[in-house]
Amino acid sequence: SYELTQPPSVSVSPGQTASITCSGGKLGDKYACWYQQKPGQSPVLVIYQDSERPSGIPERFSGSNSGNTATLTISGTQAMDEADYYCQAWDSSTVVFGGGTRLTVL
Amino acid sequence: QVQLQESGPGLVKPSGTLSLTCAVSGGSISSSNWWSWVRQPPGKGLEWIGEIYHSGSTNYNPSLKSRVTISVDKSKNQFSLKLSSVTAADTAVYYCATSTSSGHQARFDPWGQGTLVTVSS
């Protein structure tokens, strides 16, 4: 079965750029999405179709996808961005989620 | 804007059947959206369970397929999940969510608030 691999944790200083990766076989041939989940809350879509932002998502969130890796980039990271982030793709008629990355803003 | 609300028992006995319903408001379940269930065990990541279209067409996670049934009730504008032969490993927060498409363009927006289901005797 298809797997998406994320680093368990990423740390970033306020105002700096955070990058969270998601790896999977030929992931660049698929579309990747990203979700933000804060404690006790439902996930929120922050990036879809590799690099598109839903309305209401700040411009500091961006995405890319090439080769075997999709990347979520948060520019000028703010304390409010501290959360768990999950990537998602589709393979063989199945939705697959990555294991999640906890972003800590130090 | 579509809103989703899960409902159902918060406690299910081992070997029993978990049954949840997701009420759709602010839009029609007969639209072109797909309707999904996703779960999250306490402290763990997200797992997709399956999806349904208003026509009744479904896709299921192969790892759960033998135990899962997702159905749609157009008259009540809601869809439902049944998971049979549950064990403690099925304890999780269960979310319903919607996507404007299935397949490679699938993305879930919005999600329901989630409901915790505990499997215990």
Side-chain angles (χ1 to χ4, degrees), chain B residues 19-30:
Chain B
S19 297
L20 296 173
T21 296
C22 180
V24 179
S25 59
S28 172
I29 203 163
S30 296

Side-chain angles (χ1 to χ4, degrees), chain A residues 20-21 42 47 49 64 70 76 104:
Chain A
I20 300 173
T21 58
S42 303
I47 293 290
Q49 288 183 202
S64 63
T104 302

